[in-house]
Amino acid sequence: FNKEPYSLGSFKEMAHYRGGKAGRAGNFTFSISTPINLRTARTAERPRARNVDIQLNFREVEAQPSISSVSFRCGEFQVTISIQDKVTISYQLPGMHNPHAIAEEDLTFLIRNSTNFNAIGFLMNSLPIMLYSGMRSGNRKPDEDAADEFRDILRATINSLPRLIFSDAPVRTKPARTYDSIEAIPSPEGAHIPYLLARLKAFKPADWDRLRNNLNDFGSASGLFSDIDVKKFGASPASPFQIAVKVAGPSSNLIDVGYGVSQTLPVIVETLQANRRSMFLLQQPEVHLHPKAQAALGSYLGAVAKQKGLTIVVETHSDFLIDRIRMDVRDNKGLDPSGVSILFFERTGLDVRIHQLEIDRNGNVLGAPPSYRQFFLEEQRRSVN
């Protein structure tokens, strides 16, 4: 909650304010639904598509959000880890009327570190074996096949979650006329991207050529540039360098071309270099882009998510980006409707309602409330009067 590029403050600054006597909420919840393909080790049957719902509940501990419970549910299978004054783990399988608790282990470190997500990550990775052993050592032993299936569900759930999460800042770093080194620490603002490009060109020419070609493809589609290159001032790998951008005619320095190039470059490079099953949280990636480039960015993000198995969450104000994704779904350009979701935030008083909108195969938005795009429709009506 308070790691760059986010700074959400204390628990009381995050929790919902209801107003009046109700005041501020004493807890809040995140719910995540993840699809899994379950193939058991005991059968040769084809994988079965299932959905697993994960819920994390938070309370206030020392002014910060602290995880008070985590639960996993898949159909009639459920496990809940409660972290209060002590840690308890309970599970429920098909045919069981009430949850059963497993024998407690030494999990006091979770109480001490309940504000540290790394502790929860450790627990999640240990949970399949811990739960499986606990079910078999208890007084009421469950059905063996059900226990095996639950272990497989938990393993598939953990494997379905992103391996790496990258968050970018809402405004990327300013371009420089000259860069003096080829070492940089990755940052949400993308300050390390020029150094990454220089390093690839110097030490991994094949990777550089591949990345450069992909960058130039996006540059041409967006109308932002036709070529990106690294120009060194000396033969040493540590020599200063510039990022050269060709728009039309001779190349120019990155700092001398449209600001949209330097703002978009970190998004494109990071996603092109990402490992499979990475997740990207992008804040207004369309900043400083003209409409054609915003639309091209929509096509690019849809294509790279499909090709590399990425999950990309985009916070955007751009109708051009959203409309291009809808049209790419309609035109069968690799995007499946089930792989796209639009979350529309609607403020009403002190509350914000989130509408989850779907897209059909014709690119139509389904389930939109009356307020969705109301402003744009009213502006269009005014323009034709």
Side-chain angles (χ1 to χ4, degrees):
F1 293 110
N2 287 292
K3 181 179 178 181
E4 291 296 334
Y6 307 111
S7 180
L8 302 185
S10 67
F11 179 91
K12 286 184 169 57
E13 291 170 303
M14 300 178 209
H16 176 54
Y17 179 70
R18 300 186 180 96
K21 293 183 179 180
R24 196 168 298 278
N27 55 70
F28 60 84
T29 300
F30 284 142
S31 297
I32 308 165
S33 182
T34 180
I36 62 171
N37 286 317
L38 187 64
R39 185 198 298 274
T40 64
R42 302 172 302 284
T43 66
E45 64 187 37
R46 297 179 61 186
R48 289 173 292 159
R50 308 278 291 272
N51 269 349
V52 177
D53 297 318
I54 306 171
Q55 182 169 297
L56 295 91
N57 296 311
F58 292 83
R59 62 190 175 102
E60 183 178 5
V61 172
E62 298 177 355
Q64 289 298 311
S66 170
I67 294 180
S68 57
S69 67
V70 184
S71 66
F72 298 81
R73 179 186 289 274
C74 182
E76 296 183 80
F77 295 90
Q78 181 174 354
V79 60
T80 299
I81 305 102
S82 177
I83 308 169
Q84 301 287 336
D85 296 331
K86 63 178 182 178
V87 178
T88 57
I89 302 176
S90 60
Y91 70 91
Q92 192 163 355
L93 302 178
M96 291 173 53
H97 297 293
N98 298 299
H100 292 177
I102 67 172
E104 289 186 26
E105 301 189 26
D106 184 14
L107 298 174
T108 54
F109 76 96
L110 286 174
I111 300 173
R112 295 195 304 269
N113 296 283
S114 59
T115 58
N116 184 342
F117 287 4
N118 290 330
I120 304 302
F122 173 81
L123 174 63
M124 287 174 61
N125 284 301
S126 306
L127 189 58
I129 295 177
M130 186 185 303
L131 185 65
Y132 192 72
S133 301
M135 286 190 292
R136 275 168 164 48
S137 63
N139 295 327
R140 294 176 290 184
K141 292 182 173 58
D143 176 78
E144 184 172 340
D145 288 341
D148 289 344
E149 185 174 1
F150 198 15
R151 178 188 57 185
D152 294 338
I153 288 172
L154 289 172
R155 284 177 172 170
T157 301
I158 292 167
N159 290 334
S160 74
L161 298 175
R163 293 178 179 173
L164 178 68
I165 300 178
F166 174 84
S167 302
D168 82 333
V171 177
R172 269 64 72 186
T173 190
K174 293 181 179 180
R177 188 164 297 281
T178 304
Y179 299 90
D180 298 323
S181 172
I182 58 172
E183 294 296 331
I185 299 173
S187 70
E189 292 81 12
H192 62 294
I193 293 300
Y195 304 97
L196 172 62
L197 300 181
R199 206 158 49 238
L200 287 175
K201 184 173 182 179
F203 302 115
K204 296 182 179 180
D207 292 346
W208 161 248
D209 288 340
R210 185 162 46 249
L211 176 61
R212 183 182 183 183
N213 289 335
N214 287 325
L215 285 172
N216 292 342
D217 286 343
F218 170 76
S220 297
S222 63
L224 291 174
F225 56 87
S226 60
D227 187 41
I228 293 278
D229 199 4
V230 177
K231 291 191 174 182
K232 302 279 292 185
F233 297 108
S236 169
S239 298
F241 66 93
Q242 292 182 340
I243 300 298
V245 181
K246 186 174 184 179
V247 180
S251 297
S252 301
N253 193 295
L254 177 63
I255 202 171
D256 295 326
V257 298
Y259 208 57
V261 179
S262 61
Q263 292 296 289
T264 309
L265 204 55
V267 174
I268 306 301
V269 173
E270 290 286 3
T271 49
L272 286 173
Q273 295 293 99
N275 295 322
R276 293 189 65 83
R277 279 181 42 206
S278 296
M279 172 181 278
F280 285 82
L281 308 177
L282 305 180
Q283 301 182 67
Q284 298 188 43
E286 76 277 6
V287 67
H288 287 286
L289 296 184
H290 52 67
K292 179 181 178 181
Q294 292 180 39
L297 182 61
S299 283
Y300 167 79
L301 292 175
V304 76
K306 181 73 173 180
Q307 292 166 6
K308 305 197 70 171
L310 307 179
T311 299
I312 302 180
V313 181
V314 182
E315 183 266 326
T316 181
H317 297 149
S318 173
D319 263 25
F320 301 106
L321 187 153
I322 295 173
D323 286 345
R324 176 59 67 84
I325 290 176
R326 293 196 303 109
M327 288 186 284
D328 285 350
V329 168
R330 179 199 64 193
D331 298 338
N332 296 317
K333 292 192 173 181
L335 274 178
D336 189 89
S338 63
V340 180
S341 179
I342 299 175
L343 301 180
F344 174 62
F345 290 68
E346 180 182 28
R347 179 179 293 279
T348 55
L350 293 173
D351 295 320
V352 175
R353 182 179 178 185
I354 305 175
H355 303 268
Q356 184 166 344
L357 313 180
E358 296 180 351
I359 298 176
D360 65 17
R361 292 201 170 273
N362 295 318
N364 298 312
V365 177
L366 306 178
S371 57
Y372 182 69
R373 304 188 82 172
Q374 181 180 4
F375 169 78
F376 299 101
L377 293 174
E378 290 176 353
E379 288 292 290
Q380 288 176 351
R381 279 196 292 267
R382 286 184 61 197
S383 68
V384 297
N385 287 340

